[in-house]
Amino acid sequence: MMPSHDLGLLLRVSWATLIFFSHFQAVRGAPLKLEAPPDMGATVLNHSMGLVQRMEGLLAAGNGSDVTLRVHTINTDEVKVIQAHSLVLTMQSDVFEELLLSRNGSTVVLREAPDCAAVFDKFIRYLYCGDVSVRLDQAISLHKLASKYHVWSLQQGLTQYMTQHLSSDSPTGHVVGWYNYALQTGDVGLRDSCLQYLSWNLSSVLQSQEWGSISEELLLSLLQRSDLILQTELELYEALEAWINQNQPVGKTTETALRLVRYGMIPPQYLFRLQKQSPLMQKYYESIRDLLYLAFQFHSASPITLAKYFDVNCSLFTPRNYLSSSWGSPWIINNPTRDDRSFSFQTQLGPSGHDSSKRVTWNSLFSPRWLPLSARSTYTEMGAMQPTRTDGGRPRIIVTPATSSPDFAGVSFQKTVIVMARQQGKVVVRHVYNFHQSTEEAGDFLAGADLQRRVSEYLIDSSLYLHIVIKPLYHTLLVAKK
């Protein structure tokens, strides 16, 4: 019995199997003519499953075998012997075809790494039956074999499998390993999928065993991103300190990583505590002193004043997607196809300590149907949102400030709507939508999503789980000449 985290993948090549049997009959002297597709009124008798079972039996028994595969495990004495059929191997793989043409005798000797040798029988069975059961820890090994022997259908199926099972539970994690493999093989699609998953679910990754296994290259790549989704910047610093203590990188790597922390996003009381209590910060204080100095200036002065003298458009003053209550709010919408919903919440005006006591009230409207410009919501004098609904269209979300204030000078707000989903039993981020202050709504919000189905991949227990994040962005001001 496979462990509970083992997952199956069905990859079928029944048409190729049928072609094989047509050749098989031809070899025996009785060519089989493939008929044209049946007429509209005809009934199709499908016995392909029985055919697959007979193919599996052919492999297991070795009946009619004309080639012996001796699979040697590199650096060991282990040898796996498989009785196979050259017709099947050459039909599925041009690499096998070349090997069989150049062989002397009926035996082909192959040498495989231990991980690939362990699943070689699964790989050969796929060539006969067109399906394979895959565990998370076997995906890379099977992918290597599919790539080496040019079995492209299996390779593509495994890439899709890995992309769809990033959120699956495993004892030590698997996404980082898949990312490193994709980087090594040049699989850009898989690499980007892994990187996006790690960025969007960073809080859970930071708490897992997988965090300590990430490479220096991946660590620095993540630290540079503004789309990271996590609780606070302090959480990221503490996780970075744990990674450095575990991996003990060279000093240059540590300095580079520490300089990618956005200290301006950490409240001053926590910065003071880190200076006193963090051995890492004490050891590398001189390397980041200029950044800490800027952060304390940022927290003590008015952002408008600071913007006259410093470039506040740099990453040090740019928030990531923080899930803490200071920067947004979760919003669970039950029965999202039923009617329009409105919701109000408050955020801190900005990350600067100077703005820590100032709040901005936001009104958000969700509609399961499209709202044309002529039918946009209006507001009462009390700031309450009055939704207007139209029939047809797709889901739409609008986020606007309830009031304006002189404090908004020099600040614009990026709005981020995070859509959660349940995948492989785990709640993860499925989509992220960004839109700016000048735009009230995300134009492509849930485009193509089917919210009508109770089992929709966008819903959790028939509800839409959102988290709205407001990211204040400061702008460098031009000082007029006197």
Side-chain angles (χ1 to χ4, degrees):
M1 179 180 295
M2 294 189 298
S4 60
H5 64 272
D6 294 351
L7 301 167
L9 174 67
L10 192 63
L11 305 171
R12 298 225 169 265
V13 287
S14 57
W15 181 248
T17 305
L18 183 59
I19 293 176
F20 161 70
F21 266 90
S22 70
H23 284 283
F24 187 69
Q25 290 288 344
V27 169
R28 298 179 61 185
L32 176 64
K33 181 179 180 181
L34 296 181
E35 297 182 358
D39 296 332
M40 291 296 293
T43 299
V44 177
L45 301 179
N46 187 349
H47 300 148
S48 59
M49 289 305 299
L51 184 61
V52 169
Q53 292 173 0
R54 289 193 292 276
M55 289 289 289
E56 186 172 13
L58 186 68
L59 174 63
N63 295 336
S65 169
D66 61 345
V67 60
T68 300
L69 301 179
R70 292 181 58 86
V71 185
H72 292 253
T73 302
I74 296 175
N75 296 327
T76 73
D77 296 329
E78 183 179 347
V79 178
K80 188 175 292 185
V81 179
I82 301 174
Q83 299 297 328
H85 304 80
S86 57
L87 181 59
V88 177
L89 300 181
T90 57
M91 182 182 68
Q92 299 278 40
S93 165
D94 59 354
V95 175
F96 271 125
E97 182 178 15
E98 185 175 344
L99 288 172
L100 292 172
L101 286 174
S102 60
R103 63 175 166 159
N104 291 320
S106 61
T107 300
V108 175
V109 177
L110 305 172
R111 301 186 184 278
E112 302 293 345
D115 63 318
C116 292
V119 296
F120 201 86
D121 51 346
K122 280 178 173 277
F123 171 67
I124 294 297
R125 182 187 177 279
Y126 174 84
L127 303 184
Y128 279 76
C129 304
D131 67 67
V132 61
S133 63
V134 183
R135 297 202 313 253
L136 296 174
D137 59 344
Q138 296 173 333
I140 288 180
S141 304
L142 286 167
H143 195 281
K144 288 179 183 178
L145 290 173
S147 302
K148 177 178 178 178
Y149 292 98
H150 296 180
V151 184
W152 305 124
S153 59
L154 179 59
Q155 183 200 59
Q156 293 167 6
L158 288 164
T159 298
Q160 184 179 16
Y161 166 85
M162 288 188 275
T163 301
Q164 294 175 346
H165 289 80
L166 295 171
S167 60
S168 297
D169 285 324
S170 54
T172 58
H174 54 279
V175 180
V176 171
W178 289 356
Y179 171 85
N180 293 333
Y181 176 70
L183 197 65
Q184 174 188 349
T185 58
D187 191 329
V188 177
L190 179 59
R191 179 203 66 189
D192 290 347
S193 294
C194 292
L195 190 57
Q196 178 179 279
Y197 177 85
L198 294 170
S199 301
W200 285 3
N201 299 277
L202 190 59
S203 269
S204 61
V205 174
L206 296 180
Q207 306 302 320
S208 69
Q209 296 183 38
E210 200 164 18
W211 173 247
S213 69
I214 70 171
S215 64
E216 294 180 6
E217 180 273 337
L218 178 54
L219 175 75
L220 298 179
S221 178
L222 287 170
L223 290 174
Q224 295 178 61
R225 296 175 70 109
S226 294
D227 65 340
L228 299 182
I229 298 177
L230 68 167
Q231 293 297 320
T232 63
E233 192 75 15
L234 179 62
E235 178 188 34
L236 183 59
Y237 176 86
E238 292 173 341
L240 173 60
E241 186 169 31
W243 184 91
I244 291 173
N245 291 336
Q246 178 177 336
N247 291 276
Q248 295 296 313
V250 297
K252 184 63 176 178
T253 299
T254 300
E255 291 179 7
T256 301
L258 285 172
R259 291 190 65 83
L260 292 173
V261 175
R262 302 184 179 183
Y263 299 100
M265 301 299 109
I266 301 177
Q269 63 268 30
Y270 295 109
L271 287 176
F272 282 124
R273 191 192 74 187
L274 291 176
Q275 283 183 299
K276 284 303 234 181
Q277 299 180 3
S278 169
L280 181 67
M281 183 171 286
Q282 292 174 356
K283 181 177 180 180
Y284 289 92
Y285 179 78
E286 291 301 321
S287 300
I288 58 173
R289 181 170 60 174
D290 60 322
L291 299 180
L292 294 174
Y293 181 64
L294 271 176
F296 282 119
Q297 286 183 307
F298 173 69
H299 286 302
S300 62
S302 162
I304 295 180
T305 301
L306 192 71
K308 294 179 181 179
Y309 304 100
F310 296 98
D311 178 14
V312 293
N313 291 322
C314 64
S315 62
L316 183 67
F317 307 122
T318 301
R320 308 185 204 263
N321 290 324
Y322 302 123
L323 299 176
S324 64
S325 58
S326 297
W327 307 118
S329 176
W331 187 13
I332 301 175
I333 302 174
N334 299 317
N335 297 320
T337 60
R338 189 181 64 196
D339 50 30
D340 297 347
R341 317 293 172 84
S342 61
F343 175 66
S344 296
F345 61 96
Q346 287 190 328
T347 63
Q348 191 171 307
L349 173 63
S352 166
H354 185 273
D355 293 332
S356 61
S357 62
K358 300 173 183 176
R359 295 289 183 269
V360 180
T361 299
W362 299 89
N363 290 324
S364 54
L365 169 69
F366 169 80
S367 174
R369 287 156 295 278
W370 176 68
L371 293 172
L373 290 173
S374 60
R376 286 291 168 81
S377 304
T378 58
Y379 297 89
T380 65
E381 293 181 358
M382 299 300 293
M385 185 172 283
Q386 300 296 314
T388 301
R389 191 173 71 186
T390 59
D391 292 329
R394 56 181 173 78
R396 192 64 67 118
I397 191 167
I398 297 174
V399 181
T400 55
T403 58
S404 60
S405 169
D407 291 328
F408 290 8
V411 182
S412 65
F413 300 96
Q414 177 176 299
K415 307 153 192 177
T416 297
V417 178
I418 301 169
V419 180
M420 315 297 289
R422 181 178 285 125
Q423 296 178 353
Q424 286 81 50
K426 182 189 300 183
V427 176
V428 297
V429 174
R430 179 172 177 82
H431 282 293
V432 175
Y433 300 92
N434 297 305
F435 50 113
H436 294 271
Q437 182 177 11
S438 59
T439 307
E440 293 181 347
E441 59 188 296
D444 59 345
F445 181 67
L446 292 180
D450 182 3
L451 302 182
Q452 298 285 345
R453 294 186 299 115
R454 290 176 58 85
V455 294
S456 171
E457 61 271 27
Y458 294 88
L459 302 179
I460 301 176
D461 299 328
S462 301
S463 298
L464 185 62
Y465 278 62
L466 308 178
H467 195 112
I468 303 176
V469 177
I470 305 297
K471 299 170 65 172
L473 303 175
Y474 295 102
H475 301 288
T476 300
L477 302 179
L478 297 176
V479 180
K481 295 181 179 180
K482 296 183 180 179

